[in-house]
Amino acid sequence: MSKKDSIKIIPLGGLNEIGKNMTVIEYKDDILVVDCGMTFPEDEMLGIDIVIPDITYLLKNKDKVRGIVLTHGHEDHIGALPYVLKKINVPIYGTKLTLGLVENKLKEHKMLGSVKTNIISPKMTIALGVFSVEFIKASHSIPDAVSLCIGTPLGKIVHTGDFKIDYTPIDGDMMDLHRFGELGREGVLALFADSTNVERPGYTMSEKTVGETFDNIFRNVNNNRIIVATFASNVHRVQQIINAAYNFKRKVAISGRSMVNVFNVATDLGYLNVPKGMIIDINDLNSYPDNEIVVITTGSQGEPMSALSRMAAAEHRKMEIHPGDVVILSATPIPGNEKTVSKVINLLFDKGADVIYEALADVHVSGHACQEELKLIHSLVKPKYFIPVHGEFRHLRHHAALAESLGMSKDNIFVSNNGNIIEINEEYGKIAGTTNSGNILVDGLGVGDVGNIVLRDRRHLSEDGLMVVVVTISKADGSIMAGPDIISRGFVYVRESEDLIDEARNEVKEALQKCEENNIKEWSTLKSAIRDTLKDHLYRKTKRRPMILPIIMEV
Amino acid sequence: MSKKDSIKIIPLGGLNEIGKNMTVIEYKDDILVVDCGMTFPEDEMLGIDIVIPDITYLLKNKDKVRGIVLTHGHEDHIGALPYVLKKINVPIYGTKLTLGLVENKLKEHKMLGSVKTNIISPKMTIALGVFSVEFIKASHSIPDAVSLCIGTPLGKIVHTGDFKIDYTPIDGDMMDLHRFGELGREGVLALFADSTNVERPGYTMSEKTVGETFDNIFRNVNNNRIIVATFASNVHRVQQIINAAYNFKRKVAISGRSMVNVFNVATDLGYLNVPKGMIIDINDLNSYPDNEIVVITTGSQGEPMSALSRMAAAEHRKMEIHPGDVVILSATPIPGNEKTVSKVINLLFDKGADVIYEALADVHVSGHACQEELKLIHSLVKPKYFIPVHGEFRHLRHHAALAESLGMSKDNIFVSNNGNIIEINEEYGKIAGTTNSGNILVDGLGVGDVGNIVLRDRRHLSEDGLMVVVVTISKADGSIMAGPDIISRGFVYVRESEDLIDEARNEVKEALQKCEENNIKEWSTLKSAIRDTLKDHLYRKTKRRPMILPIIMEV
């Protein structure tokens, strides 16, 4: 038997971050991509809409790419597809619901006809170039999630995808632990596993427990409406809200664009079981008594434009909060959203609503495995190599430690970075190099055109605003023909700072006169003189540093 | 006995927010102020340094103000003092440590000689106009905190200040529950109580438990340095770190400006007990073996400029993180700081440090009372009226519900807003009106000069940057003499967008030509034409909306 080549595994996103998951698996002339996610911008990425992975490596190896395999339909696993597929149109593979959500997304980008989508289901195996990909049923906070077993010439790679172990799943179909066990017995080359909740001891509770909480809450609300906010994609959660509504003879209205979208897709594809006549239009809320109404809405993260935020701020066109409304936030704030969520809670209380959230009742469970669940998967799969994924550095480190505590050798665990090239062959596994990776910023129609310079300027402008100084000078002798005029924005309230602006104008005049006296005529020198003079003057007067833009016109 | 006037109680800050606590208590010609705090800006307050209360009401009643009484030395209780005292210089009253911290602050503002400070201590009573103020020992996450019993012609007002009940406090001096009990038996007109932790069931753990955790961690670190980050003002926490260092024969270095400041004040005033020779200079760290070092540092909130953040980012001038360093974050992220804290944790792990934080060990306890402690205080004090303070709306609401559950009548509980005038007399208590209140923004030297218009502009600039269009026209005939010139910042990377800018210039030219053809000469119309043309063009091309600043010069 001839010596085999190495497999290369290159995470392009999802490491040292929770977001934009994307992993490249390469063997000779074949590349397989797992997931294609986006992430939301960090606070310092001012004005940015979304962030996607850098796919330079894929573009360089375009001809090798056989397809993109999706583990589930969350944005951090499918959100970059429209942008990536525009550059490199390869077939995509996912379960029915996952592709339903992808198609919604492609429709928005007017790409629906031009992409080849392939529905797969658990227990299926497909061939992609040299690879085989077997799909394994997993549990997560969205239905139809799968783990992957990728067959390679060197052995099997198991990728958990995002998962938790739920012994009483809402759809009755448990994560296929048997298959993980079989694979472990047969031998697994490498395991990639979800690290999100590795810092949490014990087990994640079953989704079913939330349904019990709903029943308990619904039972005790007698005369009022119930409004439940959750993630649109958490179809099982939505099912449980519908079940509770049914149990207590309430109708259900759906609110929020993404909630309506996912509800429709999930209903069409048979992932939601909705008794006939139960759904009412949100425009018809007033035709029903309060105690017959449940509203399921977006906005559980306090997103400023979401339906719930608009209700809380009395800016929703179709419904307003009544005193006595019971609002359930069936979600945990994603790190970074704590304050916006709290703001919505406060506004709702202020409107007289009774608000129930995680601090007060068990209205949410995570979709990710805690320590004991992770240990189970590790123990079943018993891989030769382990690569913790889907986590910040702290999570990856802790996940590595967990694997070590189960007996793995440190040398066989790769705590990696995006862009690392993990090379595995018959002799060794190691991080063998790096390639391009990072954040591609999407702002409006621009993909990647906003970089550090633009962001630095936005940050500067956001902190102290700007002052524009315009002066028209004579081409003939350099004398001032008009100006200096001063326009400022975001610096001080101009009407109450006339003195400051007048002084600034005089400072500029003096600086220009000095230049004239010294026969200085280069624009760049004049501009520097204006900038330096003003900078010092304004800092002395205000301890602020607005951006100063000197403009010289010549006539 | 003649009919008495009403007492007015006006919270100017601290309601519907956790921050800038300040309460006015007024009877006829006398005003007493409790606390004078600042708060940190919300995300949308771009470029703002700190936020202080609106004191218009006090300025209008300047002659009545007898003094400011401070409950403890946290920024949200003393941080606005320099700004307020500049406008209205009245005596201030506080315990020794509180005033020590205030003096630090006044020194920075060069106000030290000009403010009258009066040291008080628990069990003392002072007279302020018609009021008496008795100070009562309380426990909190800073030593020397007091509750107040304010004697008024209509009865006693008890203000808990920030508190928890700690049966084993570090200084051995427990909250004076006896006095609360006595006051309750004698009769209390109104209770103001801390609502921060009202959503948490049970009790807050004793500060002492953190010391036990420190001992356990220190015991198991054999060869490495230990770095502990905590709030500078948590002197008891610092004491416990010093104790643990002493127990395990380590020296202590102090890092971070505010840590050094508070450490010095607390040591000078006798609030810290530091064995001789234990403190070493941070410059001398390399003279000691790693296993003999503890560094106490600021930065537990991941503040970007703090000592710990600089260590994590390898930007600290005096020390760097070694692989193996054990870093303890002895704090919980304040809501809104979760991401910055997480970033520091990740960077530290990345440098090879082992990081221990609240998710992993009991390295922090809160300084605020949970439900059972609140119930104890309510039950002891048995007030006629209750005003929940120090909390967002959700906390105030829940605190009101807690009081009701203990038997208080809803009518005697005032869930209020900043600026509400709560009037209490012999016949009734009610919210009788409102006065000015709100956020005064401090930006550099400017206090209150940044308002909504400036912030709106900063937000606009931060999202899509700006485009300045300058054109010089002839005074004689309105023809274009120079330009249009286009300068943009924070919009696109100009070097890669020359076409876009050229097109924009042409659009402006055409728009101006059209104006000329139609004999339009008013500047405002010309500017609108430029703005509208560009706005549409740029949105069509980029789906962004930069601020557009048209400038017309006339020669």
Side-chain angles (χ1 to χ4, degrees), chain A residues 39-206:
Chain A
T39 192
F40 289 104
E42 298 289 315
D43 285 348
E44 63 269 21
M45 300 176 183
L46 294 168
I48 297 303
D49 301 328
I50 67 165
V51 180
I52 60 173
D54 183 333
I55 57 162
T56 308
Y57 187 84
L58 289 181
L59 296 177
K60 275 189 200 153
N61 294 282
K62 214 165 174 169
D63 296 340
K64 293 185 175 182
V65 185
R66 303 290 161 247
I68 301 174
V69 177
L70 304 170
T71 57
H72 63 284
H74 278 155
E75 289 293 344
D76 59 332
H77 293 258
I78 66 169
L81 275 174
Y83 305 94
V84 169
L85 291 172
K86 268 173 209 162
K87 300 257 181 181
I88 174 169
N89 194 348
V90 295
I92 57 179
Y93 301 82
T95 55
K96 203 163 58 165
L97 182 64
T98 303
L99 290 186
L101 296 170
V102 166
E103 276 162 16
N104 253 354
K105 195 170 283 297
L106 295 176
K107 214 179 289 173
E108 278 174 30
H109 282 80
K110 302 194 174 71
M111 295 170 66
L112 198 51
S114 58
V115 176
K116 191 152 183 283
T117 58
N118 303 275
I119 294 181
I120 54 82
S121 55
K123 296 192 190 295
M124 261 179 76
T125 300
I126 60 169
L128 281 178
V130 71
F131 303 109
S132 67
V133 184
E134 177 189 344
F135 299 89
I136 307 168
K137 168 81 188 177
S139 289
H140 188 39
S141 44
I142 185 171
D144 239 12
V146 288
S147 302
L148 309 173
C149 173
I150 301 164
T152 79
L154 285 151
K156 291 184 177 119
I157 298 174
V158 172
H159 193 308
T160 64
D162 294 9
F163 81 104
K164 67 188 278 190
I165 295 172
D166 192 336
Y167 297 107
T168 54
I170 302 304
D171 58 6
D173 201 2
M174 220 189 81
M175 182 151 179
D176 190 351
L177 294 178
H178 299 90
R179 187 60 187 142
F180 282 90
E182 276 171 11
L183 290 168
R185 195 162 329 141
E186 291 162 24
V188 169
L189 181 66
L191 171 67
F192 288 69
D194 179 0
S195 311
T196 315
N197 274 350
V198 68
E199 289 178 355
R200 297 197 201 167
Y203 274 92
T204 299
M205 297 293 285
S206 169

Side-chain angles (χ1 to χ4, degrees), chain A residues 199 342 357 449 490 544, chain B residues 199 357 394 449 458 490 544:
Chain A
E199 289 178 355
S342 201
Y357 37 98
D449 68 335
R544 299 181 200 165
Chain B
E199 289 178 354
Y357 36 100
R394 56 198 268 191
D449 67 334
R458 285 185 187 172
R544 298 179 201 168

Side-chain angles (χ1 to χ4, degrees), chain B residues 400-414:
Chain B
L402 180 141
E404 278 185 68
S405 78
L406 296 172
M408 273 198 88
S409 148
K410 207 172 189 146
D411 297 337
N412 285 6
I413 302 171
F414 307 123

Side-chain angles (χ1 to χ4, degrees), chain A residues 253-274:
Chain A
I254 308 290
S255 161
R257 201 173 63 102
S258 66
M259 188 63 77
V260 171
N261 276 346
V262 178
F263 182 87
N264 289 341
V265 171
T267 309
D268 290 351
L269 298 178
Y271 289 88
L272 271 176
N273 179 10
V274 186

Side-chain angles (χ1 to χ4, degrees), chain B residues 24-40:
Chain B
V24 173
I25 300 180
E26 180 175 1
Y27 184 84
K28 284 201 200 168
D29 291 334
D30 292 297
I31 281 179
L32 160 66
V33 179
V34 177
D35 288 332
C36 186
M38 54 150 275
T39 192
F40 289 104

